[in-house]
Amino acid sequence: MLLCIEQAELRGKSFLCRTAASFVSTRIGIIPKAPILPKDLGINKERKGGLIVVGSYVPKTTKQVEELKLQCGHFLKKLEVSVDKLAMKSLEEREEEINRVAEMANLFLGASKDTLIMTSRELITGKTACESLEINFKVSSALVEIVRRISTRPRYINKTTIHSCKADSLVLLKGGITSSDLATKALEAKCAKVVRQALAGIPLWQLGPESRHPGVPYIVFPGNVGDSKALADVVKSWALPSRLSSTKELLLNAERGGYAVGAFNVYNMEGAEAVVAAAEEENSPAILQIHPSALKQGGIPLVACCVSAAEQANVPITVHFDHGTSKQELVEALDLGFDSLMVDGSHLSLKDNIAGLIH
């Protein structure tokens, strides 16, 4: 058919073609290129985590998210946003949920953790089409606000674009609007350069110089593109290799080398910086410890500054949660990004401690 069109054009004919995207590259002879990678943009040494935002409810996206968690769950930090709190609860609960997710995302990104922000998977609908549209707007605007409040510059941003709400037989699909809102409202971009594809059918932009994060790669991932492994493939290609240091590794190396590793409780940014500076001066590994009382006072910002200091140190540094007593606070400590934790059973009887070790 292309040959026929070319021959007709040579004779003065003009055509308006409604085709798939592949027709254009074939017609004008564009040579296929491999998907773009971080090294192609010179950011392969960038130490911040990447941000993945998912608001889509189409079945394909749900399968892609499940595959992403299956393949990348060992290094990916997951933050689920409650649609019920965003759309059905009070303004105070909505605000608390937005602030919680943004605060945690700042912590994880600063600690070089690729971070997945996703809406809860239960689809909440209204009684009418208008009510469902209102729910859709509240969720989309909340995602925009969450990203707007994230101050840490991500390594890359990956956004799935379709958000759907069902009301009786009506299905409302939100295509590129959320991606556009994230870019223009949350990231304050007025222009972007379309660089190449992160995967077939998945364009990669670089945000303009006027945006909050100039030059950051912005991957627009349509909810109806790719197979079930596509999202995982993109994230694996762009993810930052995990930090090599772990508290266990530090202690095993010390045992082999016959030396001690200092573990220091810190209560603020100045304390963390002092420990790291001393460790670098002595060319020695060290452990930053946070006690539950210090965590209660310093909160997420204290953990964030310790994890960030450890990440940027020139010697192996890890962050340890010291003297955790309850299962809830120990689980929360792991979620916050601590490298290790100490379970304090001193308040329990010898029998209960032994039983705990057995189980």
Side-chain angles (χ1 to χ4, degrees):
M1 185 182 75
L2 283 174
L3 288 175
C4 293
I5 291 176
E6 288 177 4
Q7 291 296 320
E9 286 177 338
L10 290 174
R11 297 177 183 178
K13 297 288 185 179
S14 297
F15 298 91
L16 176 63
C17 301
R18 183 178 180 182
T19 67
S22 57
F23 175 87
V24 178
S25 58
T26 304
R27 177 68 180 84
I28 62 179
I30 296 177
I31 300 173
K33 292 184 178 180
I36 194 167
L37 297 172
K39 63 181 178 61
D40 299 321
L41 294 176
I43 64 167
N44 48 309
K45 295 183 179 180
E46 170 67 47
R47 300 305 299 172
K48 299 299 182 184
L51 177 63
I52 304 108
V53 183
V54 176
S56 171
Y57 286 102
V58 294
K60 176 171 283 190
T61 294
T62 299
K63 290 180 180 178
Q64 289 173 340
V65 171
E66 290 172 354
E67 189 66 29
L68 172 66
K69 292 192 286 188
L70 182 66
Q71 292 194 35
C72 306
H74 60 289
F75 68 81
L76 196 65
K77 289 294 182 180
K78 298 171 283 292
L79 293 172
E80 184 173 287
V81 191
S82 171
V83 172
D84 181 57
K85 290 181 179 179
L86 296 181
M88 310 302 290
K89 301 298 184 182
S90 66
L91 290 176
E92 289 77 12
E93 288 179 278
R94 172 184 167 87
E95 173 66 18
E96 286 177 3
E97 182 69 357
I98 290 173
N99 197 55
R100 176 190 71 85
V101 175
E103 197 173 40
M104 293 295 291
N106 264 318
L107 167 64
F108 294 148
L109 293 173
S112 301
K113 304 293 184 181
D114 288 276
T115 303
L116 168 65
I117 296 176
M118 59 180 289
T119 50
S120 51
R121 293 293 88 191
E122 181 183 358
L123 185 62
I124 297 177
T125 61
K127 296 178 180 179
T128 66
C130 287
E131 286 183 6
S132 288
L133 184 60
E134 180 65 19
I135 292 171
N136 184 52
F137 172 76
K138 287 180 178 179
V139 174
S140 297
S141 61
L143 289 176
V144 169
E145 183 60 23
I146 287 169
V147 175
R148 192 186 69 80
R149 295 188 191 184
I150 295 173
S151 57
T152 304
R153 177 187 171 96
R155 175 178 168 85
Y156 65 91
I157 300 171
N158 188 337
K159 172 68 181 73
T160 61
T161 60
I162 298 179
H163 185 88
S164 63
C165 287
K166 297 179 181 178
D168 301 322
S169 61
L170 176 66
V171 179
L172 300 171
L173 293 181
K174 206 166 186 301
I177 296 175
T178 306
S179 288
S180 174
D181 283 351
L182 281 182
T184 58
K185 297 179 181 178
L187 302 171
E188 300 176 11
K190 294 182 179 179
C191 65
K193 178 182 179 181
V194 181
V195 183
R196 221 157 80 197
Q197 295 187 112
L199 208 64
I202 302 168
L204 181 143
W205 309 348
Q206 273 191 302
L207 299 180
E210 77 295 333
S211 69
R212 289 176 54 216
H213 303 306
V216 161
Y218 188 80
I219 302 170
V220 183
F221 202 122
N224 58 350
V225 168
D227 59 19
S228 61
K229 298 180 180 179
L231 183 57
D233 289 342
V234 172
V235 172
K236 285 190 295 184
S237 297
W238 283 80
L240 182 70
S242 300
R243 187 154 52 109
L244 296 178
S245 297
S246 68
T247 305
K248 181 178 180 180
E249 182 184 11
L250 255 64
L251 297 178
L252 286 174
N253 288 340
E255 184 179 13
R256 297 188 194 103
Y259 59 86
V261 177
F264 307 91
N265 279 68
V266 295
Y267 303 90
N268 50 38
M269 181 179 67
E270 291 80 8
E273 289 180 342
V275 171
V276 172
E280 290 179 334
E281 178 71 22
E282 296 298 324
N283 194 29
S284 170
I287 300 171
L288 296 172
Q289 295 189 152
I290 298 178
H291 189 271
S293 60
L295 179 59
K296 184 177 180 180
Q297 293 297 321
I300 291 175
L302 175 60
V303 182
C305 78
C306 287
V307 173
S308 179
E311 177 63 37
Q312 297 177 44
N314 295 324
V315 293
I317 303 285
T318 62
V319 185
H320 177 77
F321 185 58
D322 196 28
H323 288 275
T325 56
S326 71
K327 180 179 179 180
Q328 180 180 348
E329 69 177 0
L330 292 167
V331 171
E332 289 175 354
L334 288 175
D335 287 339
L336 285 174
F338 283 93
D339 296 302
S340 57
L341 49 84
M342 178 250 194
V343 182
D344 186 344
S346 60
H347 60 291
L348 301 173
S349 67
L350 176 62
K351 180 181 178 181
D352 287 339
N353 270 287
I354 293 172
L357 289 173
I358 293 174
H359 295 294

